[in-house]
Amino acid sequence: MSDQELLAVLLGQGTPGLDVMALAAKLARLIDQKGLDVKAEDLVQFAGVGDAKATLILAAIEFARRRIKPEGAKIEAPADLLPHIHHYADRKQEHFLCASINGANEILNIRVVSIGLIDRSPVHSREVFADALADRASAVIVAHNHPSGGLAPSPGDIAVTAQLKGAGAILGIELLDHIIFNRTGYFSFLEAGML
């Protein structure tokens, strides 16, 4: 099941003007952007989501978080991040993600930095590093899905990687890798010697 379908199950029904799948899509986008920082007040701003539904959604997120525990998961190779982001592989738009990493190479948080078009996602260094600074991260790994399927980095991907590496050097937050992924595989700038 997609994330949208899972949320639709939790919601049960939509509103007279918005079916459950459309409401679930709006909530999935918000949850993507907020990550583990999503709160009840964020969810209840949507018609059809009251305190009870917001609590149910937050309980489901917390239950999954406790079982999967992305924060604290150790990253020893780029592939170690993939289980925590692979659910973005089937999105129809590019999602640019940033994983904040502590000094012990453990995940602090994973957030969606931007959502773009089918073939590109506009991203700026300030958005990538804003939450990493708040997390007091020592490093980041950025990643994005390629909805069109190919894994080869575009000239834009290469330019963004260089820009982020430079910005991270100034801030003292190392860019460990930039991963491009789809449903079947991934490309790592680090593994390819391009970082």
Side-chain angles (χ1 to χ4, degrees), residues 113-132:
V113 176
S114 70
I115 300 171
L117 306 171
I118 290 174
D119 61 348
R120 66 184 181 280
S121 178
V123 66
H124 194 280
S125 299
R126 70 177 161 262
E127 280 87 27
V128 170
F129 289 103
D131 289 322

Side-chain angles (χ1 to χ4, degrees), residues 13-177:
Q13 62 186 23
T15 64
L18 193 65
D19 71 33
V20 70
M21 290 302 288
L23 178 57
K26 289 182 177 210
L27 286 170
R29 175 169 268 211
L30 172 79
I31 293 168
D32 282 349
Q33 292 168 341
K34 294 279 187 171
L36 295 175
D37 296 330
V38 68
K39 299 194 177 354
E41 50 266 26
D42 299 321
L43 301 173
V44 297
Q45 68 182 329
F46 294 94
V49 181
D51 291 335
K53 291 290 183 195
T55 302
L56 178 65
I57 291 166
L58 292 175
I61 291 169
E62 180 63 15
F63 181 79
R65 186 189 67 78
R66 290 181 184 184
R67 293 297 174 269
I68 297 170
K69 299 184 189 286
E71 67 285 352
K74 192 97 163 163
I75 300 295
E76 295 178 9
D80 295 341
L81 183 65
L82 291 172
H84 304 290
I85 61 172
H86 196 261
H87 58 283
Y88 290 100
D90 64 354
R91 304 296 169 93
K92 293 183 175 33
Q93 294 171 291
E94 227 179 65
H95 284 61
F96 196 96
L97 311 163
C98 179
S100 299
I101 309 294
N102 67 17
N105 274 1
E106 296 170 335
I107 299 171
L108 296 170
N109 205 341
I110 300 171
R111 294 180 183 90
V112 175
V113 176
S114 70
I115 300 171
L117 306 171
I118 290 174
D119 61 348
R120 66 184 181 280
S121 178
V123 66
H124 194 280
S125 299
R126 70 177 161 262
E127 280 87 27
V128 170
F129 289 103
D131 289 322
L133 286 167
D135 290 341
R136 302 201 184 289
S138 63
V140 295
I141 298 173
V142 296
H144 72 278
N145 63 317
H146 265 189
S148 57
L151 291 172
S154 69
D157 294 335
I158 294 167
V160 163
T161 303
Q163 179 186 22
L164 293 175
K165 184 175 181 179
I170 291 168
L171 294 170
I173 300 176
E174 184 181 2
L175 175 65
L176 297 177
D177 201 355

